[in-house]
Amino acid sequence: MKNRSVFGWLELAIGILLIGLGIYSFFEPMDILMGLVFLYGLAALATGIGDIVFYCRMDRHLGFGPTLSLVSGILSVMAGFVLAIHPSAGSWAVVLLFPLWFIAHCISRLARLPLARFIAGRGYYVFSLIVNILGLLLGFAMLFSPQLSLTSLNIIMAVYLLLLGIDCLTEAFTNIGAQR
């Protein structure tokens, strides 16, 4: 019998990447639209891959996977490629794609919360519920008010990336991030 890790290494890497991006956003606010577009593209790519991997794991273990995780993963990967390949187009992409990414990613995470509560417990459930509801509100606010996105993007992104990174780290250290 093969021993497997009970630690979520992918979630840990994504969490560290997102926290690093969040901290960098606080210290370099003038570079938010152009300088960080490439790095945010990598973050979107990483979280998209994470959502797709989650879908595949659940499909393998349960016989079906949460379709919202797959859709969110595909949207995140698409947004990541656009931002990484065309960083100069980042200003319009940030205004349009990041709100959609926030909304899709938060819906995906909210859809899997009942399973997360069962596996990881109430503390993770409540924290993830709050973070993802805030992310949904933020996504819709940025979608309906592009001016909000442009004027306060550095603070919004920094705070949300920090919270999302902490959420991923929490997932890595609970049973939900375990590979079984």
Side-chain angles (χ1 to χ4, degrees):
M1 184 178 241
K2 191 176 189 180
N3 286 339
R4 295 195 179 212
S5 173
V6 294
F7 190 73
W9 290 104
L10 179 64
E11 290 81 8
L12 177 68
I14 291 170
I16 291 171
L17 175 67
L18 292 172
I19 289 173
L21 287 173
I23 291 170
Y24 186 77
S25 294
F26 273 123
F27 291 114
E28 296 294 333
M30 300 309 286
D31 293 340
I32 194 69
L33 286 179
M34 296 304 285
L36 294 178
V37 169
F38 180 77
L39 294 175
Y40 285 135
L42 291 179
L45 195 61
T47 58
I49 290 169
D51 282 344
I52 292 169
V53 167
F54 178 78
Y55 170 81
C56 293
R57 283 183 188 165
M58 289 298 107
D59 186 54
R60 184 180 56 189
H61 292 294
L62 301 176
F64 65 92
T67 307
L68 286 174
S69 287
L70 180 62
V71 171
S72 169
I74 291 170
L75 286 173
S76 293
V77 168
M78 288 171 40
F81 274 127
V82 167
L83 295 176
I85 293 172
H86 298 292
S88 62
S91 60
W92 69 265
V94 167
V95 172
L96 178 63
L97 293 178
F98 271 147
L100 294 176
W101 172 48
F102 275 24
I103 292 167
H105 189 72
C106 290
I107 289 173
S108 169
R109 286 216 180 270
L110 288 170
R112 65 184 185 187
L113 270 182
L115 179 63
R117 184 178 191 175
F118 176 72
I119 295 172
R122 182 177 167 86
Y124 173 76
Y125 172 82
V126 170
F127 178 75
S128 189
L129 179 69
I130 291 169
V131 166
N132 289 295
I133 288 173
L134 288 174
L136 267 178
L137 295 173
L138 178 61
F140 281 114
M142 288 192 310
L143 189 63
F144 293 119
S145 177
Q147 190 64 15
L148 172 70
S149 296
L150 290 173
T151 57
S152 60
L153 188 63
N154 59 329
I155 295 170
I156 291 170
M157 290 297 294
V159 170
Y160 184 69
L161 287 171
L162 286 172
L163 290 174
L164 190 58
I166 292 168
D167 185 47
C168 286
L169 288 180
T170 306
E171 186 175 334
F173 286 99
T174 62
N175 288 338
I176 197 168
Q179 296 179 4
R180 293 180 189 241

